[in-house]
Structure formats: structure tokens, C-alpha cells
Amino acid sequence: MRGLSDSNSAPRRSAHLTWLRAFEAAARTSSFTAAAAELNLTSGAISYQIRALEAHLGFALFERLPRGVKLSPMGVAYLPPVRKAFEELADSTVGLFGGSERVQSPCMRRCRWRRCGSRPNCLNSALRNPSIDVRLSSVIWDNAVLDEATDLEIRYGAGHWHG
């Protein structure tokens, strides 16, 4: 395991999934204790996994504070791709092995629905129907690739999309 002082050299292999899971939970909750409770681990185990990830990457991902933790600038930069990877893994799993119909929406629309607390009528109907698997995925893309597993896609923007 490399120390944090070895930040000039790149990691030789991918980070362990358990380290990334601990990082994402701790970043989302801003607490090693809350992340531990969520993942059914001890806070010491979360701390160990975060330290191992930081050593592997060569950068501190959290600032340890007297009462909790705060993402470092590198942690803030690393969190979105880690979250996206977990979302893509979950979407792939459901797309291949589970689910029925799916609804996909970009993050701008999803954020607006969350903030105002209301959903369009089509989603309200879908949420009441247990045979429809509603998944709101936050994806920002330049050139969208049509996903055959998605039955409905809501896009926000100028409206000049292929297909």
C-alpha cells in the first residue's frame, strides 16, 4: 500500500469495491458512523476502508474534523464518478436481470421534481402500478446512445437529438 506522500504515481490497479462503497456512503452521510450503520459495519471498519482507499489513490478524500468528516477537494472531485459507476452497475443489473418497464430522466428534471415535491401525472400513475419499474437516472450526455431497455426517456434541452 502506498502512502499519501506517493501522490505522483498512479494506482497500479482498480480500487476495491468495498473501499468505494465505504467512500460513497461516508461522503453521502458526512459520517463514518452513519456509513457504518448503513452498511452494517463498524465505524472502525469504514475508517480502515477509507484509509486504504486514500493510500491506494495517494490522496486524502476526507478532512477529519473534531465532530465528523468533510470531503476534501479531491473527495469532492472523486464522488460523482463513483456515484455514477454505482448507478450504472445498478441500472445494468436491473436491465439484465430484473424489472419490467423503465422510465429514464436526466438529472435537471429529477432535481426539479424532488425540490417541488410534485411529479408529472404520468409518473404518479406509474408509481401506483407495481408492474412498472420507475428509475430516474441522472445522466448528462453529449451524444446519447439509445438504450433498448428504456421504454421512455425525458430529455431537457434544445431538442436536436438523433432518433
Side-chain angles (χ1 to χ4, degrees), residues 40-93:
N40 295 317
L41 297 170
T42 64
S43 57
I46 294 293
S47 179
Y48 174 80
Q49 290 175 0
I50 298 294
R51 276 187 273 127
L53 178 60
E54 289 174 328
H56 176 76
L57 297 174
F59 290 93
L61 299 172
F62 288 94
E63 295 175 21
R64 276 75 172 171
L65 306 171
R67 294 182 187 258
V69 293
K70 175 183 161 188
L71 281 173
S72 71
M74 288 303 287
V76 169
Y78 194 44
L79 183 57
V82 169
R83 279 192 176 149
K84 182 179 179 190
F86 279 122
E87 287 175 3
E88 287 178 358
L89 184 59
D91 286 347
S92 296
T93 301

Side-chain angles (χ1 to χ4, degrees), residues 18 38 90 98 130:
T18 54
E38 180 180 307

